[in-house]
């Protein structure tokens, strides 16, 4: 029995390869250090266009538009056309269709509703580390990554606090335990799990590709 190999190729979805800001058709549009991206429930690709201080949207048809941000770094909530960000990086979409943004240099987690309204979900805007009330007291230090779990909690990689935080409805708490997803059991997987648990080191992690171990 032969295994058919699927032919794959890389193509450019959007962008001219020149730095800038321009909405329009994919090959006409421009970005400036696009960093994070996520696909929403309608198939749109939402992009954190970091150095443009904007959140962009690419439709399934390839049209690029600005979802939120004026292009000038700053901090302002409100309608997408007047809202401001400062180097947004990580991005996620929750089950209600809200876009969650790690607004790195504002040290805040922001939210964009499906109606385009931008608000601050968590963080006072001052760099630091503190758990507590979402907006009144919680502090971050250049958060870069965000994800949303099945319960709607927002998980944040708090870069220069060197920890993972959890933004829940009752405040911000450190995420003490990160569970690994279920893996197909094999002696190799067991070796990896044992190594990580015993040493906490990720330097010797390998992947198995066609029955060969490939260093990460």
């Amino acid at each position: 029995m032969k295994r058919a190999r699927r032919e794959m190729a890389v193509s450019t979805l959007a962008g001219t390869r020149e730095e800038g800001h321009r909405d329009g058709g994919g090959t006409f549009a421009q970005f400036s250090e696009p960093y994070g991206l996520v696909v929403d429930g309608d198939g749109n690709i939402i992009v954190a266009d970091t150095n443009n201080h904007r959140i962009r949207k690419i439709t399934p048809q390839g049209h690029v538009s600005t979802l939120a941000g004026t292009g000038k770094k700053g901090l302002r909530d409100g309608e997408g056309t007047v809202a401001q960000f400062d180097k947004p990086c990580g991005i996620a979409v929750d089950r209600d269709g809200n876009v969650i943004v790690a607004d790195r240099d504002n040290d805040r987690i922001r939210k964009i509703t499906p109606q385009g309204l931008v608000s601050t979900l968590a963080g006072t805007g001052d760099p630091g580390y503190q758990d507590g009330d979402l907006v009144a007291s919680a502090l971050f230090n250049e958060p870069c990554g965000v994800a949303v779990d099945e319960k709607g909690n927002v998980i944040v990689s708090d870069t220069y606090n060197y920890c993972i935080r959890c933004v829940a409805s009752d405040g911000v708490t450190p995420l003490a335990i990160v569970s690994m997803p279920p893996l197909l059991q094999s002696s190799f997987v067991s070796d990896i799990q044992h190594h990580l648990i015993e040493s906490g080191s990720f330097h010797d992690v390998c992947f198995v590709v066609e029955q060969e171990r490939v260093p990460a």
Side-chain angles (χ1 to χ4, degrees):
M1 181 180 292
K2 293 184 178 180
R3 182 174 61 184
R5 290 185 178 272
R6 180 182 173 186
E7 295 295 328
M8 303 185 72
V10 177
S11 62
T12 299
L13 183 63
T16 64
R17 294 184 59 226
E18 294 183 359
E19 184 177 16
H21 171 264
R22 189 163 58 201
D23 290 334
T27 56
F28 176 79
Q30 290 182 325
F31 301 84
S32 182
E33 292 194 21
Y35 191 90
L37 55 82
V38 67
V39 179
D40 70 13
D42 296 322
N44 300 301
I45 301 171
I46 311 300
V47 181
D49 193 3
T50 303
N51 272 4
N52 274 325
H53 312 291
R54 289 176 161 106
I55 307 302
R56 314 285 292 282
K57 180 173 77 171
I58 308 172
T59 68
Q61 294 74 35
H63 183 79
V64 180
S65 61
T66 297
L67 183 64
T70 66
K72 294 183 179 180
K73 66 179 180 179
L75 174 63
R76 183 188 300 151
D77 290 334
E79 296 293 335
T81 54
V82 300
Q84 290 182 325
F85 300 85
D86 193 350
K87 293 191 182 299
C89 286
I91 198 163
V93 175
D94 69 14
R95 57 191 172 190
D96 296 321
N98 298 302
V99 176
I100 309 300
V101 181
D103 194 4
R104 190 188 75 187
D105 284 10
N106 275 326
D107 301 300
R108 295 184 185 218
I109 307 303
R110 313 284 293 283
K111 181 175 77 172
I112 309 171
T113 68
Q115 295 74 36
L117 185 66
V118 179
S119 62
T120 295
L121 180 64
T124 68
D126 295 320
Y129 174 82
Q130 184 169 302
D131 293 333
D133 184 82
L134 292 179
V135 178
S137 60
L139 299 176
F140 299 89
N141 195 348
E142 296 196 17
C144 279
V146 287
V148 181
D149 69 15
E150 69 279 2
K151 296 180 181 179
N153 299 312
V154 177
I155 313 302
V156 181
S157 63
D158 194 0
T159 307
Y160 290 110
N161 278 323
Y162 312 105
C163 62
I164 308 302
R165 314 283 292 283
C166 178
V167 180
S169 59
D170 59 348
V172 179
T173 58
L175 191 63
I177 300 174
V178 180
S179 300
M180 293 180 64
L183 301 174
L184 295 176
Q185 289 303 311
S186 68
S187 60
F188 181 55
V189 168
S190 297
D191 288 345
I192 289 179
Q193 291 173 325
H194 178 76
H195 178 75
L196 294 179
I197 292 171
E198 291 297 322
S199 69
S201 172
F202 292 83
H203 295 293
D204 298 327
V205 173
C206 295
F207 298 99
V208 177
V209 180
E210 296 183 352
Q211 299 183 349
E212 293 186 4
R213 297 187 181 190
V214 178

